[in-house]
Amino acid sequence: MAAIRASSLALVASTSYSSSSASVFTRFRSTPVWAFSISVAPLCSRRVKRMAHSIARATLGLTEANQIDPPKISFAAKEIDLVEWKGDILAVAVTEKDMAKDDNSKFQNPLLQKLDSQLGGLLSEASVEEDFNGKSGQSTFLRLPGLGTKRVGLLGLGSVASPAASYRSLGEAVAAAAKSAQASNVAIALASSEGLSPDLKLLSASAITSGTVLGTYEDGRFKSESKKPTLKSVDIIGLGAGPEIEKKLKQAEFISSAVIFGKNLVNAPANVLTPAVLAEEARRIASMYSDVLTATILNEAQCRELKMGSYLGVAAASANPPQFIHLCYKPLGGSVKTKLGLVGKGLTFDSGGYNIKTGPGCSIELMKFDMGGSAAVLGAAKALGQIKPAGVEVHFVVAACENMISGTGMRPGDVVTASNGKTIEVNNTDAEGRLTLADALVYTCNQGVEKIIDLATLTGACIVALGPSIAGVFTPSDELAKEVVEASETAGEKLWRMPLEESYWESMKSGVADMVNTGGRQGGAITAALFLKQFVDEKVQWMHIDMAGPVWNDKKKAATGFAIPTLVEWVLKQSS
């Protein structure tokens, strides 16, 4: 990724090694809720020396992930009287408006009033003493020994301006409370759910489920000791019951599992997650959902036959051979109404090449996250393989490789030729992601898709423009922009549309080739998007998402799984 300041990374699963004279296999075991497994198959190469080196890289440092049994959480939507629920933690989510009290310091909200009465006024008393007023992030819990419910708590929602994000945060807060109290079962209710529309109830329940699953997740695979989560069951009360909401909760579980899968990929160190391992993980997804997914993995020789000179130029310096990944989703029955393409940048490590990343803020130690786009694409494939939407065909494409330094590597000033025949003067080897995406976009257009979204940790310039939590969106299509932004709002993720200023293309012209691969510091995210546009068929609606900021959480020092919920929501809406 081109000179980017970022955050940190991690994984969840188990690893075991078995070896022979021919190969080394690495496997991360998993169960359906947190499904993640990786195996390292023999690394193909025409040269025995490179093959041996590749195997050594895959086991570098004798790193082996801890054996972790992923937690299983069951979710149920219920319509019962709150005060009758029995269990470890009863959590009630409140807005600032819900916390209004009468002249006697008693709650005006009917549900809180009833619950407080059951507790002898302890809840209102505690809220006053702890200055709890329902602001986002606030919480207060009472321990109630001897009663059917061990703990009762209030969790603040603030003003709930963004329902999906607020309710997902609520789920995360409940998961944190359960972890702290070592609770095995919890119930979650909203103080004011009567006024919500049926659609908003479904959205709220889905977001709470996602937040709880993601809040329970903790990546301890590469730590000498790891804690086991205790949470087993969650009841969501007052948001409806029956088949429709149960289906929505199950879908939220699928998407959350895919987000964790994506986090695991991004968190994995580069000595474990090589291009071959990423390709094998794609094969595993296809085999798990073989009724709707197929996998095609192209090796270096096959990519050469397709004239992918731009992609292969980036991969040339690495001892780990490139792996071009193509998963295809086809619905179980019925006609295909639309064909979509999702393309993810797959740099499993980015040294910068001969323009090596140096100096403060270069974030070379975090460049395992430079395959965040591929994690989003493969995560979406996993979720869609479980959900199985009708009427839509989806192509998931990743040009996986490493950007390293060696005598065979690409040099500044070299000219490479992409698979559509366009030539590129490489004036910066650290602007490598766009070179791999160029051939990936050409390939995807050739699959006959009507719409493409590419995702990449592409530029530090986008982080400068939008900060660490908002992704930049570039597209000439107003229709596609509207679709994806609406999907992101439903998913609770932040996107901001940026301009595709065509006049900036002047800075991308070369004296010896069709274009250079960088256009200077000013407007760097825009010129990167303009570069990608050169490799998209004019008949295809296309969007580029620069996710360099939100792929990583600096505070948690871990991956976020960003964009997976948005991509799944977009595909589902295209299906419907």
Side-chain angles (χ1 to χ4, degrees):
M1 156 181 189
I4 137 176
R5 293 177 321 169
S7 341
S8 342
L9 315 155
L11 259 179
V12 168
S14 44
T15 306
S16 61
Y17 291 89
S18 62
S19 61
S20 67
S21 59
S23 64
V24 176
F25 295 88
T26 307
R27 180 166 290 122
F28 295 82
R29 300 175 189 167
S30 65
T31 56
V33 175
W34 301 69
F36 180 58
S37 85
I38 290 180
S39 63
V40 178
L43 306 182
C44 300
S45 173
R46 289 172 295 174
R47 294 183 292 181
V48 174
K49 182 178 180 181
R50 171 180 276 188
M51 181 176 176
H53 191 179
S54 298
I55 291 171
R57 289 274 293 133
T59 59
L60 184 66
L62 305 180
T63 300
E64 186 173 344
N66 294 328
Q67 300 284 336
I68 296 176
D69 294 324
K72 294 180 180 179
I73 307 172
S74 63
F75 291 85
K78 297 180 177 180
E79 287 288 3
I80 61 173
D81 192 333
L82 205 62
V83 299
E84 294 178 2
W85 187 85
K86 309 297 182 186
D88 292 332
I89 296 177
L90 172 60
V92 182
V94 298
T95 64
E96 294 174 53
K97 184 179 178 181
D98 292 329
M99 293 304 296
K101 296 183 177 68
D102 60 21
D103 294 338
N104 297 317
S105 296
K106 299 298 182 183
F107 292 114
Q108 294 181 9
N109 178 279
L111 187 146
L112 294 179
Q113 199 175 78
K114 182 176 182 179
L115 186 59
D116 193 38
S117 175
Q118 185 81 1
L119 299 175
L122 288 175
L123 206 57
S124 57
E125 187 178 307
S127 68
V128 172
E129 289 179 355
E130 297 184 24
D131 195 25
F132 179 91
N133 52 25
K135 289 184 178 179
S136 179
Q138 283 188 317
S139 65
T140 181
F141 281 88
L142 301 175
R143 194 168 186 276
L144 307 167
L147 296 181
T149 302
K150 295 179 182 179
R151 286 176 172 81
V152 174
L154 300 178
L155 296 169
L157 288 172
S159 59
V160 199
S162 174
S166 296
Y167 294 134
R168 190 175 60 212
S169 296
L170 168 62
E172 291 174 353
V174 170
K179 191 181 297 184
S180 177
Q182 295 188 314
S184 63
N185 52 77
V186 303
I188 306 172
L190 305 183
S192 300
S193 59
E194 296 79 10
L196 299 179
S197 68
D199 285 346
L200 196 51
K201 284 186 177 183
L202 289 175
L203 174 63
S204 303
S206 175
I208 289 169
T209 300
S210 296
T212 306
V213 173
L214 297 174
T216 305
Y217 159 83
E218 187 174 336
D219 189 357
R221 292 162 310 148
F222 297 102
K223 295 181 179 179
S224 56
E225 295 181 6
S226 58
K227 297 178 182 178
K228 291 184 177 180
T230 58
L231 187 58
K232 303 298 181 187
S233 67
V234 176
D235 292 334
I236 298 175
I237 299 173
L239 292 176
E244 187 177 8
I245 192 169
E246 293 292 346
K247 179 183 177 182
K248 195 71 174 177
L249 297 186
K250 182 57 65 177
Q251 184 173 301
E253 289 184 63
F254 290 153
I255 295 173
S256 300
S257 172
V259 170
I260 289 168
F261 167 78
K263 287 185 176 187
N264 291 344
L265 290 177
V266 176
N267 283 335
N271 62 318
V272 172
L273 188 74
T274 61
V277 172
L278 191 62
E280 196 57 37
E281 185 57 24
R283 285 192 186 97
R284 191 190 66 83
I285 295 171
S287 67
M288 285 178 66
Y289 313 110
S290 58
D291 55 339
V292 290
L293 282 171
T294 56
T296 302
I297 310 296
L298 305 180
N299 61 27
E300 183 176 348
Q302 291 169 309
C303 291
R304 195 173 298 279
E305 288 177 10
L306 293 175
K307 299 183 175 8
M308 295 183 178
S310 185
Y311 163 48
L312 294 176
V314 176
S318 177
N320 287 314
Q323 302 283 319
F324 193 93
I325 301 164
H326 175 202
L327 296 183
C328 180
Y329 170 90
K330 291 187 177 180
L332 288 170
S335 61
V336 171
K337 294 183 294 183
T338 184
K339 293 184 179 182
L340 308 175
L342 298 177
V343 180
K345 178 182 172 184
L347 268 292
T348 58
F349 187 77
D350 175 23
S351 70
Y354 278 105
N355 291 106
I356 191 168
K357 297 176 185 290
T358 58
C362 73
S363 298
I364 191 171
E365 74 283 2
L366 293 178
M367 283 303 111
K368 64 180 183 179
F369 80 23
D370 216 13
M371 39 62 64
S374 67
V377 166
L378 295 181
K382 181 181 184 300
L384 292 167
Q386 291 177 287
I387 298 170
K388 302 182 188 349
V392 62
E393 179 177 307
V394 190
H395 296 266
F396 309 87
V397 177
V398 174
C401 65
E402 293 178 325
N403 186 24
M404 303 296 282
I405 299 172
S406 77
T408 62
M410 184 173 63
R411 295 148 297 215
D414 283 357
V415 174
V416 296
T417 305
S419 48
N420 65 347
K422 292 187 178 182
T423 58
I424 306 154
E425 180 186 1
V426 180
N427 59 3
N428 190 329
T429 61
D430 193 24
E432 83 302 327
R434 64 198 70 180
L435 296 174
T436 66
L437 287 169
D439 283 324
L441 287 167
V442 172
Y443 178 93
T444 308
C445 287
N446 289 338
Q447 306 309 307
V449 300
E450 297 153 45
K451 300 178 183 180
I452 291 179
I453 298 176
D454 79 68
L455 304 99
T457 48
L458 207 64
T459 69
C462 204
I463 304 178
V464 172
L466 298 176
S469 61
I470 304 172
V473 167
F474 302 81
T475 178
S477 170
D478 293 339
E479 177 189 344
L480 186 56
K482 185 174 183 292
E483 291 173 0
V484 177
V485 169
E486 285 180 355
S488 73
E489 289 171 351
T490 301
E493 295 186 309
K494 296 178 181 179
L495 304 180
W496 190 262
R497 190 177 181 185
M498 302 284 278
L500 271 174
E501 179 54 55
E502 292 290 345
S503 67
Y504 289 5
W505 185 246
E506 285 296 317
S507 67
M508 300 292 288
K509 291 183 178 178
S510 165
V512 296
D514 293 332
M515 67 195 82
V516 292
N517 69 325
T518 64
R521 292 176 61 85
Q522 294 182 336
I526 298 174
T527 53
L530 290 171
F531 177 90
L532 296 177
K533 186 171 178 281
Q534 311 307 308
F535 302 93
V536 180
D537 191 306
E538 290 182 357
K539 293 178 288 187
V540 176
Q541 290 187 53
W542 159 78
M543 171 182 285
H544 162 59
I545 299 179
D546 193 328
M547 52 187 284
V551 72
W552 189 254
N553 186 313
D554 262 326
K555 186 177 180 181
K556 295 181 180 179
K557 300 187 185 304
T560 62
F562 183 82
I564 294 171
T566 295
L567 293 180
V568 174
E569 186 66 31
W570 178 65
V571 172
L572 293 180
K573 286 186 176 180
Q574 296 295 301
S575 170
S576 62

